[in-house]
């Protein structure tokens, strides 16, 4: 796409002055319309060094109400960001409904600069291309507009601009040897960047390559494209949702079969089990030290029927972990603020740092369980969620170097009744049981088909479900610990 | 306080086993009571290396419902944290109402290890003591319970434990030369730590020094103190609020007088002003480069009457700043989630990184303006806020190395009417004016006395108010830019 861009384009001052102020005004009006229509907008400004990313960004924000946008200048990740999966820092910066997020450099620059250092970078870059395409599609599926610009200049022009910056004492220190080094590799980088752009030029988030030799031309061009796309958007906010397109999914997760069963082959007594558990817990402690030292992250997600024993199970699993290296993420209904974002964001935000274990007490699967059954999301939303979740999990495992373990705690309907009654009678446990639990129980069949569909559609080789037969809670505790340990041993 | 601690105390196994399980159960029940009473709880575990901080933390969380607490293991700050003022990373980790935040090490370890490297550390440690005492008092004033433990062991005991860890291959790598170095300086550190503890041992957040030679004794002691304090708290949730105590304020900000005036001595025409503004903006651009390079942060807060011209003023100030180094923080009414925390937290969270400029469009002064006038907070809350704000601002300036500039944009009541009418008539501006603006205008007198009290009580030498006579908006724009430039020149 870069070759096709005519770098000699210019605009004369008169035309520029006549057009730009009306475009600026229209962008300001559009911002308010999009806010009222609750549309989140992502604008990405990428390009060569010195192509004018800062300048174009600056020009755009001149027309925007500062209360309605966030500007994210993306450079090297901080420590906090480096120990998280690749897209984490971008996910947490996605805009809520009605806001604009402006990225001056983005996941594109980062993917290139992080990957191209590596051996076998072509393959690992492909992993990131898949993750990026999924990410952008998930955002647009959720109603966001994603607009991407690449500011293009030639090698000679870049050299001139870098020299100009070096002559100015205010900016000279910003032109580092690294920037010159990139300049010398301009000709080698061009086809790579071009290829990267091609692979991420999708129907839902297309690229706009802008000739930036003439600064005014670039500003005018960026403005007109922005205004054109957003005006179309504002006129027919739903139109985008119809022109669906399959993502160019380079690596597709394979499905594996699981069976839902509540009653284990063998059962345990509390006493018999205590010793097995103690040994496993000590093993777990050792494994946790090694994960911590080797900076391998682990996500464990618990789902299961009410009263299936998630809480007690989690407590047993944690008992011999070092408390400084794990945490439990309790998931409740999303709050007012969380509802303004893509539903996956609040889960991704809590993904563990390298070397840590995050245990989710309920998870993103709420989308295809409670939200589906109770109608908290639309049918098209939960139907779309299976693919979104599979992608998200696969991208997580591939880019984090860790693992994702998912437990479904299965009990029979009778066993649940027995436990509910027990809780209701025990004064120390009665707080654990609410009217909502009884109401959910009435919808057992609806939940059952949701669970079955979830297990069938989201058990993949990279992130398989483990069904834990939990009618016997002691058996369940042994099985979860054994599963975690087995999974970790493969990682270490 | 450390000398008074008897390090030979032990507990025998029988007593321990009899007592601990009932204490654990009571703590679990208390957690639910505090949640229902919406009381935030801060538990700090400090102590010597190898004194058992991790072990005690682990023991405490065994009894807690993982959905109701967060554990924060505090070690060296990340890059992101390092470029923010000292207490920033702790403020953002304060618990919301009804939750427990458990700190395994805290601001205490950090203050000691960061300050004691410096020349003149005694004075700079005092700055932090003041900031810490203010911080803890602000939290308790807001209804939080703060419980602090120091786990004490002797030098010989520490040596034994470190050697024990070194012999275990799983933990050996954690015993770094730095930890041995601290061990060798045990005797020198003791009086310093003791002094630090004394200075931060307040009525609202007292220290509990625990002999930790016998691990079981330490666990039992920590548990009994926790349960005792929290049970007292749960019985009479309001009691704490009566026993007020002045903080040991080591550095008190000095007040300075400001006058509220809407009409400037001289006025400008748009044309006359344009050239002055252009020159100032270029100066600002240069200054911004230098702040950025020298990593000096700047906070600019705008307050003023509706239609006083905050938006236009902010736009002019930003026009020549590099967009990658500043951001505007628009302040609206706090959302559901923000209301669960101390009101200052959401402002502190947005404080700029070193080298950045944060411009607040409205600010924490909402507490003593709109929240006071509209009754969104109680009288005692806004009355307390003047001191809290003065402390917060002084602590910010002293620990960040930057500055805080506050503008009050003053217009006359007539000028406001004129602008309201103008907005109502202009189709492009009519969105700017709402019924709420007219309602606020009716309360002009109430707001006026709130503004006067605010200017009188919160204009300090470290963070003075600048009243901007804004009947002439061009004059106002020139004055704010001049004020910012003058302030920055003092910093550079």
């Amino acid at each position: 796409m870069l070759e096709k861009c005519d770098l000699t384009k210019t605009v004369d001052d008169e035309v520029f002055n006549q057009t730009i102020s009306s475009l600026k005004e229209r962008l300001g009006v559009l911002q308010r319309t999009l806010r009222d229509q609750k549309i989140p907008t992502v604008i990405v400004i990428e390009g060569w060094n010195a192509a004018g990313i800062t300048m174009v960004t600056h020009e755009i924000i001149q027309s925007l109400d500062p209360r309605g946008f966030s500007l994210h200048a993306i450079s090297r990740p901080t420590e906090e960001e480096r120990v998280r999966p690749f897209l984490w820092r971008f996910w947490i910066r996605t805009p809520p409904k009605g806001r604009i997020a402006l990225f001056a450099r983005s996941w594109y620059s980062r993917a290139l600069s992080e990957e191209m250092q590596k051996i076998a970078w072509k393959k690992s870059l492909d992993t990131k291309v898949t993750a990026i395409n999924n990410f952008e599609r998930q955002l647009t599926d959720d109603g966001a507009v994603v607009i991407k610009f690449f500011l293009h200049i030639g090698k000679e022009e870049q050299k001139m601009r870098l020299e100009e910056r070096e002559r100015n004492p205010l900016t000279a220190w910003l032109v580092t040897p690294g920037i010159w080094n990139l300049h010398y590799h301009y000709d080698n980088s061009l086809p790579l960047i071009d290829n990267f752009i091609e692979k991420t030029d999708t129907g839902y988030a297309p690229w706009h390559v802008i000739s930036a030799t003439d600064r005014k031309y670039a500003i005018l061009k960026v403005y007109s494209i922005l205004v054109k796309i957003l005006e179309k958007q504002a006129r027919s906010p739903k139109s985008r949702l119809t022109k669906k397109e399959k993502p160019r999914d380079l690596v597709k997760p394979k499905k594996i079969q699981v069976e839902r069963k509540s009653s284990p082959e063998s059962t345990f007594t509390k006493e018999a089990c205590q010793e097995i558990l103690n040994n496993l817990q000590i093993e777990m402690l050792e494994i946790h030290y090694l994960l911590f030292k080797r900076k391998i992250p682990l996500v464990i997600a618990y789902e299961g029927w009410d009263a299936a024993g998630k809480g007690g199970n989690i407590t047993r699993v944690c008992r011999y972990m070092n408390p400084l290296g794990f945490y439990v993420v309790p998931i409740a209904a999303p709050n007012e603020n969380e509802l303004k974002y893509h539903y996956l964001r609040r889960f991704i935000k809590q993904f563990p740092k390298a070397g840590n274990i995050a245990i989710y007490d309920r998870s993103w699967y709420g989308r295809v369980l409670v939200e589906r059954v109770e109608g908290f999301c639309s049918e098209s939303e939960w139907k779309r969620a299976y693919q979104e979740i599979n992608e998200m999990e696969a991208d997580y495992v591939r880019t984090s170097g860790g693992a994702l373990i998912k437990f479904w705690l299965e009990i029979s309907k009778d066993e649940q009744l027995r436990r509910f009654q027990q809780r209701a009678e025990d004064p120390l446990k009665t707080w654990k049981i609410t009217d909502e639990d009884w109401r959910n129980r009435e919808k057992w069949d609806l939940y059952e088909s949701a669970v079955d569909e979830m297990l069938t559609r989201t058990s993949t080789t990279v992130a398989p479900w483990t069904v834990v037969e939990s009618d016997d809670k002691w058996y369940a505790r042994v099985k979860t610990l054994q599963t975690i340990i087995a999974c970790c041993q493969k990682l270490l």
Side-chain angles (χ1 to χ4, degrees), chain A residues 288 298-302 310-319 321-332 347 350-352 356-363:
Chain A
H288 192 203
L298 186 65
V299 173
I300 305 175
Y302 275 80
K310 288 194 294 297
N313 201 306
I314 291 173
T315 312
R316 288 335 177 279
V317 165
C318 300
R319 185 142 294 167
M321 288 183 187
N322 185 321
L324 309 189
F326 82 88
Y327 52 88
V328 176
V329 184
I331 299 301
F347 305 104
Q350 303 259 35
F351 272 173
N356 275 255
I357 300 177
I359 301 174
Y360 285 74
D361 185 353
R362 300 202 184 275
S363 71

Coordinates of all heavy atoms in Angstrom, one line a residue, chain A residues 288 298-302 310-319 321-332 347 350-352 356-363:
Chain A
H288 N 4.8 -22.9 42.5 CA 4.5 -21.4 42.6 C 5.8 -20.6 42.7 O 6.0 -19.6 42.0 CB 3.6 -21.1 43.7 CG 3.1 -19.7 43.7 ND1 2.6 -19.0 44.8 CD2 2.9 -18.9 42.6 CE1 2.2 -17.8 44.4 NE2 2.4 -17.7 43.1
L298 N 0.0 -17.2 35.2 CA -1.0 -18.3 35.1 C -2.4 -17.7 35.4 O -2.6 -16.9 36.4 CB -0.7 -19.4 36.1 CG -1.5 -20.6 36.2 CD1 -1.4 -21.4 34.9 CD2 -1.1 -21.5 37.4
V299 N -3.4 -18.0 34.6 CA -4.8 -17.6 34.8 C -5.6 -18.9 35.1 O -5.5 -19.8 34.4 CB -5.4 -16.9 33.6 CG1 -6.8 -16.6 33.8 CG2 -4.6 -15.6 33.3
I300 N -6.3 -18.8 36.2 CA -7.2 -19.9 36.6 C -8.6 -19.4 36.7 O -8.8 -18.5 37.5 CB -6.8 -20.6 37.9 CG1 -5.3 -21.1 37.9 CG2 -7.7 -21.8 38.2 CD1 -4.8 -21.6 39.2
A301 N -9.5 -19.9 35.9 CA -10.9 -19.4 35.9 C -11.8 -20.5 36.5 O -11.8 -21.6 36.1 CB -11.3 -19.0 34.6
Y302 N -12.6 -20.1 37.5 CA -13.6 -21.0 38.1 C -15.0 -20.6 37.6 O -15.4 -19.5 37.8 CB -13.6 -20.9 39.6 CG -12.5 -21.8 40.3 CD1 -11.2 -21.3 40.3 CD2 -12.8 -23.0 40.9 CE1 -10.2 -22.1 41.0 CE2 -11.9 -23.7 41.5 CZ -10.6 -23.3 41.6 OH -9.6 -24.1 42.2
K310 N -17.1 -23.5 44.7 CA -16.0 -22.7 44.2 C -15.1 -22.1 45.3 O -13.9 -22.2 45.3 CB -16.5 -21.5 43.3 CG -17.1 -22.0 42.0 CD -17.3 -20.9 41.0 CE -18.4 -19.9 41.5 NZ -19.7 -20.6 41.6
G311 N -15.8 -21.4 46.3 CA -15.0 -20.7 47.3 C -14.1 -21.6 48.1 O -12.9 -21.3 48.3
G312 N -14.6 -22.8 48.6 CA -13.8 -23.7 49.4 C -12.7 -24.3 48.5 O -11.6 -24.5 49.0
N313 N -13.0 -24.5 47.3 CA -12.0 -25.1 46.4 C -10.8 -24.1 46.2 O -9.7 -24.4 46.3 CB -12.6 -25.4 45.0 CG -11.9 -26.4 44.2 OD1 -10.7 -26.2 44.0 ND2 -12.5 -27.5 43.8
I314 N -11.2 -22.8 45.9 CA -10.2 -21.8 45.7 C -9.3 -21.6 47.0 O -8.1 -21.6 46.9 CB -10.8 -20.4 45.4 CG1 -11.5 -20.5 44.0 CG2 -9.8 -19.3 45.4 CD1 -12.3 -19.3 43.6
T315 N -9.9 -21.6 48.2 CA -9.2 -21.5 49.4 C -8.2 -22.6 49.5 O -7.0 -22.4 49.9 CB -10.2 -21.6 50.6 OG1 -11.2 -20.7 50.3 CG2 -9.5 -21.2 51.9
R316 N -8.6 -23.9 49.2 CA -7.7 -25.0 49.3 C -6.5 -24.9 48.4 O -5.3 -25.1 48.7 CB -8.4 -26.3 49.1 CG -9.3 -26.8 50.1 CD -9.1 -26.4 51.5 NE -10.1 -26.8 52.5 CZ -11.3 -26.3 52.7 NH1 -11.7 -25.3 51.9 NH2 -12.1 -26.8 53.6
V317 N -6.8 -24.4 47.1 CA -5.7 -24.3 46.1 C -4.7 -23.2 46.6 O -3.5 -23.4 46.4 CB -6.4 -23.9 44.8 CG1 -5.3 -23.4 43.8 CG2 -7.1 -25.1 44.2
C318 N -5.2 -22.2 47.2 CA -4.3 -21.1 47.6 C -3.5 -21.3 48.8 O -2.6 -20.6 49.1 CB -5.1 -19.8 47.8 SG -6.0 -19.3 46.4
R319 N -4.0 -22.3 49.6 CA -3.4 -22.4 51.0 C -1.9 -22.5 51.0 O -1.3 -21.9 51.9 CB -4.0 -23.7 51.7 CG -3.5 -23.8 53.1 CD -4.6 -24.3 54.0 NE -5.7 -23.4 54.2 CZ -6.9 -23.8 54.8 NH1 -7.0 -25.0 55.2 NH2 -7.9 -22.9 54.9
M321 N 0.1 -21.4 48.5 CA 0.8 -20.4 47.6 C 1.3 -19.3 48.4 O 0.7 -18.9 49.4 CB -0.2 -19.9 46.6 CG -0.7 -20.8 45.6 SD -1.8 -20.0 44.4 CE -2.4 -21.4 43.4
N322 N 2.4 -18.7 47.9 CA 2.9 -17.5 48.5 C 2.0 -16.3 48.2 O 1.7 -16.0 47.1 CB 4.3 -17.2 47.9 CG 5.0 -16.0 48.6 OD1 4.3 -15.0 49.0 ND2 6.3 -16.1 48.9
P323 N 1.4 -15.7 49.3 CA 0.3 -14.7 49.1 C 0.8 -13.5 48.2 O 0.0 -12.8 47.7 CB -0.1 -14.3 50.5 CG 1.1 -14.6 51.3 CD 1.7 -15.8 50.7
L324 N 2.1 -13.3 48.1 CA 2.6 -12.1 47.4 C 2.6 -12.4 45.9 O 2.8 -11.5 45.1 CB 4.0 -11.8 47.8 CG 4.2 -11.6 49.3 CD1 5.6 -11.0 49.6 CD2 3.1 -10.7 50.0
G325 N 2.3 -13.6 45.5 CA 2.4 -14.0 44.1 C 1.1 -14.4 43.5 O 1.1 -14.8 42.3
F326 N 0.0 -14.3 44.2 CA -1.3 -14.7 43.6 C -2.4 -13.8 44.1 O -2.2 -13.1 45.1 CB -1.7 -16.1 43.8 CG -2.3 -16.3 45.2 CD1 -3.7 -16.2 45.3 CD2 -1.6 -16.7 46.3 CE1 -4.3 -16.4 46.6 CE2 -2.2 -16.8 47.5 CZ -3.5 -16.7 47.7
Y327 N -3.4 -13.7 43.4 CA -4.6 -13.0 43.9 C -5.9 -13.5 43.3 O -5.9 -14.2 42.2 CB -4.5 -11.5 43.6 CG -4.3 -11.1 42.2 CD1 -5.3 -10.9 41.3 CD2 -3.0 -10.9 41.7 CE1 -5.1 -10.6 40.0 CE2 -2.7 -10.6 40.4 CZ -3.8 -10.4 39.5 OH -3.5 -10.1 38.2
V328 N -7.0 -13.4 44.1 CA -8.3 -13.8 43.6 C -9.0 -12.7 43.0 O -9.1 -11.6 43.6 CB -9.0 -14.5 44.8 CG1 -10.4 -14.9 44.3 CG2 -8.3 -15.7 45.3
V329 N -9.6 -12.8 41.9 CA -10.4 -11.8 41.2 C -11.9 -12.2 41.4 O -12.3 -13.1 40.6 CB -10.0 -11.6 39.8 CG1 -10.8 -10.5 39.2 CG2 -8.5 -11.4 39.6
P330 N -12.6 -11.6 42.3 CA -14.0 -12.0 42.4 C -14.8 -11.2 41.4 O -14.6 -10.0 41.2 CB -14.4 -11.5 43.8 CG -13.4 -10.4 44.1 CD -12.2 -10.6 43.3
I331 N -15.6 -11.9 40.6 CA -16.4 -11.3 39.6 C -17.9 -11.1 40.0 O -18.5 -12.1 40.2 CB -16.3 -12.1 38.3 CG1 -14.8 -12.1 37.8 CG2 -17.2 -11.5 37.2 CD1 -14.2 -10.8 37.6
A332 N -18.3 -9.9 40.0 CA -19.7 -9.6 40.2 C -20.3 -9.0 39.0 O -19.6 -8.9 37.9 CB -19.9 -8.7 41.4
F347 N -11.9 -7.9 32.5 CA -11.2 -9.2 32.8 C -9.8 -9.1 32.4 O -8.9 -9.5 33.1 CB -11.9 -10.4 32.1 CG -13.4 -10.5 32.5 CD1 -14.4 -10.1 31.6 CD2 -13.8 -10.9 33.7 CE1 -15.7 -10.1 31.9 CE2 -15.1 -10.9 34.1 CZ -16.1 -10.6 33.2
Q350 N -7.3 -7.3 34.6 CA -6.9 -8.0 35.8 C -5.9 -9.2 35.5 O -5.6 -9.9 36.4 CB -8.1 -8.5 36.6 CG -9.1 -7.5 37.0 CD -8.9 -7.0 38.4 OE1 -7.8 -7.0 39.0 NE2 -10.0 -6.8 39.1
F351 N -5.6 -9.3 34.2 CA -4.7 -10.4 33.9 C -3.4 -10.3 34.7 O -2.9 -9.2 34.9 CB -4.4 -10.5 32.4 CG -5.4 -11.3 31.6 CD1 -5.4 -11.3 30.2 CD2 -6.4 -12.0 32.2 CE1 -6.3 -12.0 29.5 CE2 -7.3 -12.8 31.5 CZ -7.2 -12.8 30.1
P352 N -2.8 -11.4 35.1 CA -1.6 -11.3 36.0 C -0.4 -10.8 35.4 O -0.1 -11.0 34.2 CB -1.5 -12.8 36.5 CG -2.0 -13.6 35.3 CD -3.1 -12.8 34.8
N356 N 2.9 -14.2 38.2 CA 1.8 -14.2 39.2 C 0.7 -15.2 38.7 O 0.6 -15.5 37.6 CB 1.2 -12.8 39.3 CG 2.0 -11.9 40.3 OD1 1.5 -11.7 41.4 ND2 3.2 -11.5 39.9
I357 N -0.1 -15.5 39.7 CA -1.3 -16.3 39.4 C -2.5 -15.5 39.7 O -2.7 -15.0 40.8 CB -1.3 -17.6 40.3 CG1 0.0 -18.4 40.0 CG2 -2.5 -18.4 40.0 CD1 0.1 -19.7 40.9
A358 N -3.4 -15.4 38.7 CA -4.7 -14.8 39.0 C -5.8 -15.8 38.9 O -5.9 -16.6 38.0 CB -5.0 -13.7 37.9
I359 N -6.6 -15.9 40.0 CA -7.6 -16.9 40.1 C -9.0 -16.1 40.0 O -9.3 -15.3 40.8 CB -7.6 -17.6 41.5 CG1 -6.2 -18.3 41.6 CG2 -8.7 -18.6 41.6 CD1 -6.0 -19.0 42.9
Y360 N -9.7 -16.4 39.0 CA -11.0 -15.7 38.7 C -12.1 -16.5 39.4 O -12.3 -17.7 39.0 CB -11.3 -15.5 37.3 CG -10.4 -14.4 36.6 CD1 -9.1 -14.6 36.4 CD2 -11.0 -13.2 36.3 CE1 -8.3 -13.7 35.8 CE2 -10.2 -12.2 35.7 CZ -8.9 -12.4 35.4 OH -8.1 -11.5 34.9
D361 N -12.8 -15.9 40.3 CA -14.0 -16.6 40.9 C -15.2 -16.1 40.1 O -15.7 -15.0 40.3 CB -14.1 -16.1 42.4 CG -15.2 -16.8 43.1 OD1 -16.0 -17.5 42.5 OD2 -15.3 -16.6 44.4
R362 N -15.5 -16.9 39.1 CA -16.4 -16.5 38.0 C -15.6 -15.6 37.0 O -14.6 -15.1 37.4 CB -17.7 -15.8 38.4 CG -18.6 -16.6 39.3 CD -20.0 -16.1 39.2 NE -20.8 -16.8 40.2 CZ -21.4 -18.0 40.0 NH1 -21.3 -18.6 38.8 NH2 -22.1 -18.6 40.9
S363 N -16.0 -15.6 35.8 CA -15.1 -15.0 34.8 C -15.9 -14.4 33.6 O -17.1 -14.1 33.7 CB -14.3 -16.1 34.2 OG -15.1 -17.0 33.4

